[in-house]
């Protein structure tokens, strides 16, 4: 073995060949020794790679291993399994894949065995051939999809129609534009839709997974009458096969798989989103985290495609969520090592902006002024105009909300893609023991608001309503899109109604099961389904701006650049005494001096349907 990346407190040990070595560390008069055993790389040999049904093949490994069948469970069976050997008996014609997992290192080796039909040695009774019965459909777990040809894939890339679909099974980050898994290019094959294999087995409750996939299946029109080709990049993950099996389980029978490594590396007809770097893949964040915490002294080629070593001092990792370090998941589930925690209340202070209201309903989670964010919060957290901030959370809403505040100030900002789902899926460790304190600076370094229109604000929304009319149907100035607040679920807000001229977006799909942004085509189809023009400005809003921020940020990341979030939302609109439409279609507003809902004539019309009772 040899030592690499030597530092004062750490060193990397690289095994070269089988054997044992002793590493000695000396500090002053103290010396410590560590014995490290280097194991040989797992190898598997087969006595034959083709066997007749009913006959046997023996597989042998050089290390102790666990044996299993990963594909073709109905084609062959295992017996006489030992730590370094197993017997494979053919059952019927087909191909079986046997996996050996090194018992100590976890390294996996797979061997494919072809099983041929058993030879018939009996004399025929009747020379007239008897038609074979229809074969039983295999279970989804035993289904082995055929491999598509390059010509078939190219045909789908160049001539898309309603009966065929090309599907990308890789992570959304690769589909969007990042060159993951060692690929030479990021992005997806032309005309491909996304169906990531990660959605099928990342850690989430089965009910949430089922609900999300059901909605997505509807959004992309997954149906049994289509022919699908599902591709991936690496043959180490079986991403395409796993998605094909899921499709098969949904009733799709015409499905093939394809390894698109050569096509993606060539870069021909590979498409990406221009704004794909609104999010960073967890692979890059992990490398940066390791670098900043001293666990590595080098940046990966993927990280170097975005940042230089000089950028590392500018990067601030922020774990952002509701609650302080003890109330949030920062010290329970854990945080990305090296990340400081920021409570969302830091930049959206829960305050009583309308003290005339009943105390229970006077609180608003409103964003603080950008000037306060610039002059107070940013310096406290070590953020300057030249900083690079990476926001991460188990929730996409605070990632986007913080992002818009910082982008408004001109700070370079990225969200970590896939929330903590992608981080955990990749097997990365979280830190739930150490609290990282921010390193403050004297000044943000600028007295400007670099990009004040990152968010839409009250005056712009009022102008849009004025130009569109209170029914909003002419869409002259764009469209105000938000949830219907006729029946509010906000415990801290009591007024019930609708912003004049706003449209409710039913069944919209902005976020995939794993927290990554939905495809551009899926989001646009949702708008069009709700009668919302996509060629003009769209302002997303909700009660307090959280959900709207996520929806707008995700839409922008897939190049829908005419979508923005309203920084305030329904709660602020109603509390400030602006006109709204109640359940009866009346134009009403809240009169804070009366603490009542009144109509255009000033008559009190308060009831339990336009304002919550005590």
């Amino acid at each position: 073995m040899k030592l690499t990346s030597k530092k004062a407190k750490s060193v990397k040990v690289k095994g070269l060949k089988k054997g044992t070595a002793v590493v000695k560390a000396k500090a002053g008069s103290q010396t410590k020794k560590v014995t490290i055993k280097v194991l040989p790389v797992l190898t598997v040999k087969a006595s034959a790679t083709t066997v007749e049904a009913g006959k046997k093949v023996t597989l042998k490994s050089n290390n102790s291993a666990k044996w299993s069948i990963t594909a073709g469970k109905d084609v062959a069976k295992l017996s006489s399994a030992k730590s370094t050997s197993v017997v494979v008996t053919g059952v019927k014609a087909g191909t079986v894949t046997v996996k050996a997992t090194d018992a100590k290192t976890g390294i996996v080796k797979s061997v494919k065995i072809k099983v041929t039909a058993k030879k018939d040695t009996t004399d025929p009774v009747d020379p007239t051939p008897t038609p074979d019965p229809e074969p039983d459909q295999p279970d989804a777990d035993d289904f082995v999809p055929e491999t598509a040809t390059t010509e078939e894939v190219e045909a789908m890339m160049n001539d898309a129609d309603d009966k065929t679909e090309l599907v990308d099974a890789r992570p959304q980050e690769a589909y969007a534009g990042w060159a993951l898994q060692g690929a030479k290019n990021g992005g997806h094959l032309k005309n491909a839709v996304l169906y990531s294999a990660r959605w099928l087995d990342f850690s989430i409750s089965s009910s949430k997974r089922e609900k999300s996939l059901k909605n997505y299946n509807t959004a992309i029109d997954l149906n049994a009458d289509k022919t699908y080709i599902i591709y991936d990049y690496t043959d180490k993950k079986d991403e395409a096969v796993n998605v094909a099996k899921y499709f098969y389980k949904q009733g799709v029978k015409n499905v093939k798989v394809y390894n698109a490594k050569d096509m993606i590396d060539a870069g021909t007809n590979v498409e990406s989103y221009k704004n794909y770097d609104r999010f960073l893949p967890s692979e890059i964040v992990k490398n940066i985290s390791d670098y900043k915490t001293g666990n590595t002294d080098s940046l990966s080629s993927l990280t170097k495609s975005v940042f230089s070593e000089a950028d590392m001092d500018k990067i601030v990792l922020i774990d952002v969520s509701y609650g302080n370090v003890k109330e949030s998941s920062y010290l329970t589930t854990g945080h990305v090592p090296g990340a400081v925690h920021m409570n969302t209340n830091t930049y959206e202070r829960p305050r009583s902006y309308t003290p005339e209201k009943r105390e229970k309903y006077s609180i608003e989670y409103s964003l603080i002024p950008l000037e306060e964010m610039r002059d107070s919060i940013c310096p406290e957290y070590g953020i300057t105009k030249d900083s690079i901030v990476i926001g991460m959370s188990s929730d996409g809403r605070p990632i986007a909300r913080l992002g818009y505040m910082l982008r408004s100030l001109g700070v370079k900002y990225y969200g970590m893609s896939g929330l903590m789902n992608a981080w955990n899926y990749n097997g990365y460790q979280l830190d739930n023991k150490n609290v990282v304190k921010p390193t403050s600076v004297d000044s943000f370094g600028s007295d400007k608001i670099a990009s004040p229109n990152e968010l839409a604000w009250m005056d712009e929304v009022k102008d849009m309503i004025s130009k569109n009319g209170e029914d909003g149907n002419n869409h002259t100035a764009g469209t105000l899109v938000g949830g219907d607040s006729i029946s509010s679920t906000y415990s801290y807000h009591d007024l019930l109604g609708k912003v004049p001229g706003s449209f409710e977006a039913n069944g919209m799909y902005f976020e995939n099961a794993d927290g990554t942004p939905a495809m551009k085509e899926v989001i646009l189809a949702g708008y069009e389904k709700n009668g919302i023009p996509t060629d003009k400005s769209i302002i997303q809003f909700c009660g307090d701006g959280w959900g709207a921020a996520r929806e707008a940020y995700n839409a922008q990341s897939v190049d829908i650049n005419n979508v923005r979030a309203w920084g305030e939302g329904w709660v602020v609109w109603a509390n400030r005494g602006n006109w709204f439409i109640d359940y009866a279609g009346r134009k009403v507003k809240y009169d804070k001096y009366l603490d009542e809902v009144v109509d255009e004539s000033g008559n009190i019309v308060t009831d339990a349907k336009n304002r919550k009772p005590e």
Side-chain angles (χ1 to χ4, degrees):
M1 63 173 57
K2 68 177 182 178
L3 304 182
T4 62
S5 303
K6 296 181 183 179
K7 295 183 180 179
K9 295 184 179 181
S10 65
V11 67
K12 286 187 177 180
V13 181
K14 183 177 181 181
L16 299 177
K17 63 180 181 179
K18 180 181 179 181
T20 302
V22 177
V23 179
K24 182 172 71 175
K26 186 175 182 181
S29 60
Q30 293 185 326
T31 301
K32 294 289 184 180
K33 296 181 179 180
V34 178
T35 302
I36 298 176
K37 185 177 182 181
V38 180
L39 300 175
V41 176
L42 177 67
T43 59
V44 177
K45 294 183 179 181
S47 59
T49 56
T50 302
V51 64
E52 182 181 330
K55 300 294 179 67
K56 299 178 179 181
V57 170
T58 300
L59 303 183
K60 293 184 178 181
S61 63
N62 61 329
N63 294 342
S64 294
K66 295 180 180 180
W67 305 90
S68 62
I69 292 178
T70 59
K73 292 182 181 179
D74 59 335
V75 174
K77 62 181 180 178
L78 304 183
S79 62
S80 303
K82 298 179 180 179
S83 60
T84 57
S85 66
V86 70
V87 174
V88 182
T89 303
V91 175
K92 67 176 185 179
T95 300
V96 61
T97 301
V98 181
K99 180 176 74 173
T101 304
D102 193 298
K104 292 185 176 181
T105 66
I107 293 174
V108 173
K109 293 290 184 181
S110 295
V111 177
K112 290 186 178 181
I113 305 293
K114 183 178 180 181
V115 180
T116 59
K118 187 175 182 180
K119 295 178 181 178
D120 187 1
T121 58
T122 60
D123 294 329
V125 176
D126 185 348
T128 304
T130 302
D132 293 331
E134 287 293 324
D136 294 332
Q137 293 291 343
D139 293 335
D141 291 340
D142 297 329
F143 171 63
V144 180
E146 295 182 23
T147 300
T149 65
T150 300
E151 290 74 21
E152 289 175 315
V153 173
E154 288 175 339
M156 286 193 181
M157 290 170 64
N158 297 321
D159 187 21
D161 57 50
D162 294 337
K163 297 181 179 179
T164 61
E165 197 89 83
L166 186 60
V167 179
D168 191 329
R170 300 172 301 153
Q172 188 274 346
E173 297 88 343
Y175 179 92
W178 290 103
L180 300 184
Q181 302 175 340
K184 293 181 180 178
N185 296 294
H188 53 274
L189 300 183
K190 181 182 176 182
N191 288 328
V193 301
L194 173 67
Y195 213 108
S196 174
R198 188 166 70 197
W199 303 344
L200 304 177
D201 60 358
F202 80 99
S203 181
I204 189 178
S205 70
S206 57
S207 59
K208 286 184 178 179
R209 188 196 317 278
E210 190 173 311
K211 180 179 179 181
S212 179
L213 293 181
K214 181 179 179 181
N215 290 338
Y216 190 76
N217 294 347
T218 300
I220 66 167
D221 187 29
L222 179 67
N223 68 73
D225 295 329
K226 285 186 178 181
T227 296
Y228 294 90
I229 294 178
I230 304 172
Y231 71 86
D232 54 18
Y233 180 84
T234 174
D235 56 4
K236 296 179 180 179
K237 292 180 176 288
D238 287 334
E239 291 171 323
V241 170
N242 290 339
V243 174
K245 288 185 175 184
Y246 173 79
F247 278 27
Y248 184 85
K249 191 174 181 180
Q250 306 310 306
V252 176
K253 298 299 183 285
N254 298 318
V255 56
K256 295 182 179 181
V257 296
Y258 183 78
N259 184 295
K261 181 180 187 301
D262 292 341
M263 280 189 171
I264 292 170
D265 284 347
T268 305
N269 285 326
V270 174
E271 302 174 340
S272 300
Y273 296 129
K274 293 179 180 178
N275 295 336
Y276 72 92
D277 60 356
R278 286 290 186 97
F279 289 97
L280 288 178
S282 58
E283 290 86 343
I284 291 180
V285 179
K286 175 65 163 65
N287 187 213
I288 292 172
S289 169
D290 285 347
Y291 190 95
K292 292 182 72 68
T293 56
N295 290 318
T296 185
D297 59 0
S298 61
L299 300 180
S300 66
S301 58
L302 181 61
T303 304
K304 287 180 179 178
S305 70
V306 191
F307 306 113
S308 67
E309 289 195 10
D311 289 328
M312 293 300 106
D313 290 335
K314 301 177 184 178
I315 292 178
V316 181
L317 302 176
I318 295 184
D319 175 273
V320 56
S321 63
Y322 177 77
N324 65 20
V325 291
K326 294 182 179 179
E327 296 170 311
S328 67
S329 61
Y330 189 80
L331 291 177
T332 53
T333 305
H335 57 275
V336 171
V340 302
H341 179 68
M342 182 181 286
N343 187 342
T344 54
N345 284 353
T346 302
Y347 56 86
E348 48 179 26
R349 305 279 169 76
R351 298 172 178 167
S352 178
Y353 294 86
T354 312
E356 294 82 3
K357 292 191 71 176
R358 293 172 291 174
E359 184 177 1
K360 179 180 179 181
Y361 298 117
S362 67
I363 299 297
E364 297 171 12
Y365 288 83
S366 294
L367 292 171
I368 62 175
L370 290 171
E371 291 80 3
E372 183 181 354
M373 185 74 178
R374 178 194 65 201
D375 299 335
S376 177
I377 305 305
C378 285
E380 179 184 349
Y381 281 83
I383 300 171
T384 72
K385 64 181 180 62
D386 299 317
S387 293
I388 301 168
V389 176
I390 302 173
M392 57 208 73
S393 179
S394 58
D395 188 334
R397 296 172 296 179
I399 287 178
R401 188 95 149 147
L402 174 62
Y404 280 127
M405 290 293 280
L406 293 176
R407 287 173 65 88
S408 296
L409 300 176
V411 176
K412 200 165 190 177
Y413 180 85
Y414 302 88
M416 184 172 78
S417 183
L419 312 179
M420 292 303 179
N421 298 319
W423 180 276
N424 293 331
Y425 189 81
N426 286 334
Y428 303 148
Q429 296 298 308
L430 293 172
D431 179 2
N432 62 359
K433 297 179 179 179
N434 301 298
V435 175
V436 182
K437 297 180 180 180
T439 302
S440 63
V441 293
D442 294 333
S443 168
F444 178 73
S446 172
D447 59 359
K448 308 291 185 185
I449 303 297
S451 184
N453 295 321
E454 281 286 335
L455 290 165
W457 299 100
M458 187 69 75
D459 288 345
E460 182 179 352
V461 171
K462 287 183 176 180
D463 183 63
M464 176 180 281
I465 294 172
S466 174
K467 291 178 179 177
N468 287 346
E470 291 184 355
D471 62 3
N473 285 323
N474 62 27
H475 304 281
T476 300
T479 310
L480 189 61
V481 180
D484 192 336
S485 299
I486 296 295
S487 50
S488 173
T489 59
Y490 296 97
S491 61
Y492 54 88
H493 186 65
D494 58 344
L495 298 170
L496 307 173
K498 176 183 177 183
V499 178
S502 64
F503 282 74
E504 186 176 3
N506 294 305
M508 292 287 289
Y509 191 96
F510 289 92
E511 186 178 71
N512 298 318
D514 59 357
T516 53
M519 282 194 306
K520 178 179 182 178
E521 292 78 7
V522 168
I523 296 175
L524 291 176
Y527 282 129
E528 292 168 0
K529 181 180 178 181
N530 283 279
I532 298 166
T534 57
D535 59 344
K536 295 182 180 180
S537 175
I538 296 174
I539 296 178
Q540 288 282 157
F541 78 97
C542 59
D544 53 17
W546 270 53
R550 176 185 59 192
E551 291 159 2
Y553 198 89
N554 283 3
Q556 291 169 5
S557 76
V558 295
D559 297 345
I560 309 177
N561 297 313
N562 58 322
V563 177
R564 288 186 300 148
W566 180 7
E568 291 113 344
W570 161 252
V571 173
V572 176
W573 175 271
N575 281 354
R576 296 298 183 274
N578 293 297
W579 293 107
F580 63 88
I581 310 301
D582 76 355
Y583 68 97
R586 296 174 297 192
K587 186 177 178 180
V588 299
K589 69 177 181 179
Y590 172 68
D591 187 319
K592 67 179 182 179
Y593 300 110
L594 297 175
D595 189 30
E596 300 284 0
V597 177
V598 300
D599 64 15
E600 292 181 276
S601 299
N603 300 315
I604 295 175
V605 293
T606 306
D607 61 30
K609 292 185 178 181
N610 58 29
R611 190 177 75 163
K612 291 179 183 177
E614 287 288 356

